[in-house]
């Protein structure tokens, strides 16, 4: 269960970072994405990345 939480948390952090990159325009891939240069996606990405960090922290705490 702890390994699954690590995987989930890592995926959430990565997805959040991609969303932040697309929302800010630093990661414009794919070029026709509706998320590019759209500020709300920066906030959603930060929220998802923070949730992933919380999942990883809880997994570390549970793993001890």
């Amino acid at each position: 269960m702890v390994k699954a939480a690590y995987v989930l948390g890592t995926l959430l952090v990565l997805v959040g970072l991609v969303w932040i990159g697309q929302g800010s325009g630093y990661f414009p891939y794919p070029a026709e994405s509706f998320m590019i240069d759209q500020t709300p996606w920066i906030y959603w990405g930060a929220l998802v990345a923070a949730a992933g960090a919380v999942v990883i922290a809880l997994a570390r705490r549970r793993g001890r």
Side-chain angles (χ1 to χ4, degrees), residues 15-54:
V15 167
L17 291 175
V18 168
W19 287 3
I20 290 169
Q22 285 187 330
S24 62
Y26 287 118
F27 185 66
Y29 182 79
E32 62 275 353
S33 176
F34 62 92
M35 296 169 61
I36 296 173
D37 289 327
Q38 299 294 319
T39 305
W41 289 104
I42 297 172
Y43 301 124
W44 283 112
L47 183 68
V48 170
V54 168

Side-chain angles (χ1 to χ4, degrees), residues 2-22:
V2 174
K3 287 184 182 182
Y6 274 120
V7 170
L8 177 64
T10 303
L11 287 174
L12 286 171
V13 169
L14 290 175
V15 167
L17 291 175
V18 168
W19 287 3
I20 290 169
Q22 285 187 330

Side-chain angles (χ1 to χ4, degrees), residues 1-7 9-10 52-64:
M1 185 68 172
V2 174
K3 287 184 182 182
Y6 274 120
V7 170
T10 303
V54 168
V55 169
I56 291 171
L58 291 175
R60 288 186 61 156
R61 188 172 180 196
R62 203 102 190 339
R64 291 184 181 181

